[in-house]
Amino acid sequence: MTLSKIPKTNRIKKGIDPKKKKILFVLLIFISTNFILAKSERDTDKHIAGLYDESWSIRLKSALVLGKNKDHKAIKPLVRTLSDDNIYVRKYTAKALIQIGKPSFDLLTISIRDVDWFVRKESVYALSEIDGVRALRFLTVALGDRDARVVNEVKIALIKIGKPAIKPVIVLLNNRDGDVQRNAGYILSKIGKPAVKPLIKTLRKKDCYVV
């Protein structure tokens, strides 16, 4: 029997099917590209330098990568980048510090007292997300911040922390600053049932101005 007479289904296929070859080629490109990107993302120094680039998009990308890599050497540069003039860079820098986690905590307790309100605001957010309970003593102080935007971030953070925040917030009901008292009362009311009795008890004091 000649080859031409052998049914097609019985013939031995030589080489790789063109469709499979194309798939393999695409897969190879995908793997090699990801390898290159992974290698690039591990280059911490490169991305720390990127935080100071003129382009806000490069600064944002660098913050994203540094947060993903969780390299502790990036913490100080990231904290400094909280003062960036671009709101998106600041937001993603705070998220990067949250991704790095507890090693960022101590420096954020310093930046929460920065002269720039947006640095203080993002520091409040990052601290509360990293370890809200541990951050309570810094957050309760920040409730007296001179900028309403920072105070609003503190209120959100303390409400989210919930029950562990009740005791330190109750103390603020006797603060000399009426705004702090009112904000403390608001936080307790939003925390809800666990705070009801302590709140009522404090409201009975004539020197309290909670509304």
Short mmCIF file of all heavy atoms in Angstrom, two decimals, residues 2 6 19 45 52 63 71 100 103 106 108 121-122 135 150 152-154 156 162 184-185 189 207:
data_model
loop_
_atom_site.label_atom_id
_atom_site.label_comp_id
_atom_site.label_asym_id
_atom_site.label_seq_id
_atom_site.Cartn_x
_atom_site.Cartn_y
_atom_site.Cartn_z
N THR A 2 0.61 2.12 -0.96
CA THR A 2 1.40 3.35 -1.03
C THR A 2 0.90 4.34 0.00
O THR A 2 -0.21 4.24 0.52
CB THR A 2 1.28 3.97 -2.43
OG1 THR A 2 -0.06 4.30 -2.66
CG2 THR A 2 1.82 3.03 -3.49
N ILE A 6 -2.95 5.42 2.21
CA ILE A 6 -3.19 5.29 3.66
C ILE A 6 -4.18 6.35 4.11
O ILE A 6 -4.03 7.53 3.75
CB ILE A 6 -1.88 5.46 4.45
CG1 ILE A 6 -0.89 4.37 4.04
CG2 ILE A 6 -2.13 5.42 5.96
CD1 ILE A 6 0.47 4.53 4.67
N LYS A 19 -1.59 25.56 14.78
CA LYS A 19 -2.37 26.21 15.84
C LYS A 19 -1.71 26.06 17.19
O LYS A 19 -1.62 27.00 17.98
CB LYS A 19 -3.79 25.63 15.86
CG LYS A 19 -4.64 26.04 14.67
CD LYS A 19 -6.05 25.51 14.81
CE LYS A 19 -6.92 25.93 13.62
NZ LYS A 19 -8.30 25.40 13.73
N ASP A 45 15.68 49.73 44.28
CA ASP A 45 16.35 51.03 44.12
C ASP A 45 15.82 51.81 42.92
O ASP A 45 15.64 53.03 42.99
CB ASP A 45 17.86 50.83 43.97
CG ASP A 45 18.51 50.32 45.26
OD1 ASP A 45 17.92 50.56 46.34
OD2 ASP A 45 19.57 49.69 45.19
N TYR A 52 10.62 59.94 42.73
CA TYR A 52 11.01 61.34 42.57
C TYR A 52 10.99 61.79 41.11
O TYR A 52 11.47 62.87 40.79
CB TYR A 52 12.41 61.55 43.17
CG TYR A 52 12.50 61.08 44.60
CD1 TYR A 52 13.11 59.86 44.92
CD2 TYR A 52 11.96 61.82 45.64
CE1 TYR A 52 13.17 59.41 46.22
CE2 TYR A 52 12.03 61.38 46.96
CZ TYR A 52 12.64 60.17 47.24
OH TYR A 52 12.70 59.72 48.54
N ALA A 63 5.28 53.51 43.41
CA ALA A 63 4.65 53.26 44.72
C ALA A 63 3.92 51.92 44.73
O ALA A 63 4.01 51.15 45.69
CB ALA A 63 3.68 54.40 45.06
N ASP A 71 9.41 45.65 50.41
CA ASP A 71 10.80 45.81 50.84
C ASP A 71 10.88 46.92 51.88
O ASP A 71 10.48 48.06 51.63
CB ASP A 71 11.67 46.18 49.62
CG ASP A 71 13.16 46.07 49.92
OD1 ASP A 71 13.56 46.37 51.08
OD2 ASP A 71 13.93 45.69 49.02
N ILE A 100 3.06 46.98 53.00
CA ILE A 100 4.29 46.63 53.72
C ILE A 100 3.97 46.27 55.16
O ILE A 100 4.57 45.38 55.75
CB ILE A 100 5.30 47.80 53.66
CG1 ILE A 100 5.76 48.00 52.21
CG2 ILE A 100 6.51 47.52 54.56
CD1 ILE A 100 6.61 49.23 51.99
N PRO A 103 6.02 47.07 59.74
CA PRO A 103 7.30 47.80 59.72
C PRO A 103 7.15 49.29 59.39
O PRO A 103 8.04 50.08 59.70
CB PRO A 103 8.08 47.08 58.62
CG PRO A 103 7.53 45.69 58.62
CD PRO A 103 6.06 45.87 58.88
N ASP A 106 5.87 52.71 62.84
CA ASP A 106 6.57 53.71 63.66
C ASP A 106 6.79 55.03 62.92
O ASP A 106 6.59 56.11 63.50
CB ASP A 106 7.91 53.16 64.15
CG ASP A 106 7.73 52.08 65.21
OD1 ASP A 106 6.64 52.01 65.81
OD2 ASP A 106 8.67 51.30 65.41
N LEU A 108 5.01 56.21 60.53
CA LEU A 108 3.70 56.84 60.32
C LEU A 108 3.22 57.56 61.58
O LEU A 108 2.47 58.54 61.49
CB LEU A 108 2.67 55.79 59.89
CG LEU A 108 2.83 55.28 58.45
CD1 LEU A 108 1.99 54.03 58.23
CD2 LEU A 108 2.43 56.37 57.45
N LYS A 121 -3.43 63.26 57.00
CA LYS A 121 -4.64 62.51 56.61
C LYS A 121 -4.30 61.11 56.13
O LYS A 121 -4.93 60.12 56.57
CB LYS A 121 -5.38 63.28 55.52
CG LYS A 121 -6.66 62.62 55.03
CD LYS A 121 -7.35 63.53 54.02
CE LYS A 121 -8.64 62.90 53.51
NZ LYS A 121 -8.42 61.72 52.66
N GLU A 122 -3.32 60.99 55.24
CA GLU A 122 -2.95 59.68 54.71
C GLU A 122 -2.27 58.83 55.78
O GLU A 122 -2.40 57.60 55.78
CB GLU A 122 -2.04 59.83 53.49
CG GLU A 122 -2.69 60.52 52.30
CD GLU A 122 -3.97 59.86 51.82
OE1 GLU A 122 -4.16 58.65 52.07
OE2 GLU A 122 -4.79 60.55 51.21
N ALA A 135 -2.98 51.82 67.02
CA ALA A 135 -2.92 53.23 66.62
C ALA A 135 -3.87 54.13 67.40
O ALA A 135 -3.83 55.36 67.21
CB ALA A 135 -3.24 53.34 65.13
N VAL A 150 -8.61 66.11 58.04
CA VAL A 150 -7.90 65.11 58.84
C VAL A 150 -8.83 64.55 59.90
O VAL A 150 -8.88 63.33 60.12
CB VAL A 150 -6.65 65.74 59.51
CG1 VAL A 150 -5.94 64.70 60.38
CG2 VAL A 150 -5.70 66.29 58.46
N ASN A 152 -12.03 64.31 59.81
CA ASN A 152 -13.01 63.42 59.18
C ASN A 152 -12.42 62.03 58.94
O ASN A 152 -13.09 61.01 59.14
CB ASN A 152 -13.48 64.01 57.85
CG ASN A 152 -14.62 63.23 57.24
OD1 ASN A 152 -15.67 63.07 57.85
ND2 ASN A 152 -14.41 62.73 56.03
N GLU A 153 -11.14 61.98 58.54
CA GLU A 153 -10.47 60.69 58.33
C GLU A 153 -10.32 59.94 59.65
O GLU A 153 -10.46 58.70 59.70
CB GLU A 153 -9.09 60.92 57.70
CG GLU A 153 -8.42 59.67 57.18
CD GLU A 153 -9.11 59.09 55.97
OE1 GLU A 153 -9.54 59.86 55.08
OE2 GLU A 153 -9.23 57.85 55.91
N VAL A 154 -10.05 60.68 60.72
CA VAL A 154 -9.93 60.07 62.05
C VAL A 154 -11.27 59.48 62.47
O VAL A 154 -11.33 58.36 63.01
CB VAL A 154 -9.45 61.10 63.10
CG1 VAL A 154 -9.44 60.46 64.49
CG2 VAL A 154 -8.06 61.61 62.75
N ILE A 156 -13.72 58.40 60.60
CA ILE A 156 -13.95 57.18 59.81
C ILE A 156 -13.16 56.01 60.38
O ILE A 156 -13.67 54.90 60.52
CB ILE A 156 -13.56 57.43 58.33
CG1 ILE A 156 -14.51 58.42 57.68
CG2 ILE A 156 -13.55 56.11 57.55
CD1 ILE A 156 -14.06 58.93 56.32
N GLY A 162 -14.21 50.39 65.88
CA GLY A 162 -15.36 49.90 66.64
C GLY A 162 -15.15 49.77 68.14
O GLY A 162 -14.60 50.66 68.78
N ALA A 184 -16.39 63.08 69.33
CA ALA A 184 -16.33 61.84 70.12
C ALA A 184 -17.73 61.27 70.29
O ALA A 184 -17.95 60.05 70.16
CB ALA A 184 -15.70 62.11 71.48
N GLY A 185 -18.69 62.14 70.57
CA GLY A 185 -20.08 61.69 70.71
C GLY A 185 -20.61 61.10 69.41
O GLY A 185 -21.31 60.08 69.42
N SER A 189 -21.84 57.22 68.81
CA SER A 189 -23.19 56.93 68.32
C SER A 189 -23.14 56.05 67.07
O SER A 189 -24.02 55.21 66.86
CB SER A 189 -23.93 58.23 68.02
OG SER A 189 -23.35 58.90 66.91
N ASP A 207 -21.08 69.31 82.38
CA ASP A 207 -19.96 69.95 81.70
C ASP A 207 -19.69 69.36 80.32
O ASP A 207 -18.73 69.73 79.66
CB ASP A 207 -18.67 69.81 82.53
CG ASP A 207 -18.76 70.60 83.82
OD1 ASP A 207 -19.49 71.62 83.81
OD2 ASP A 207 -18.13 70.20 84.81
#
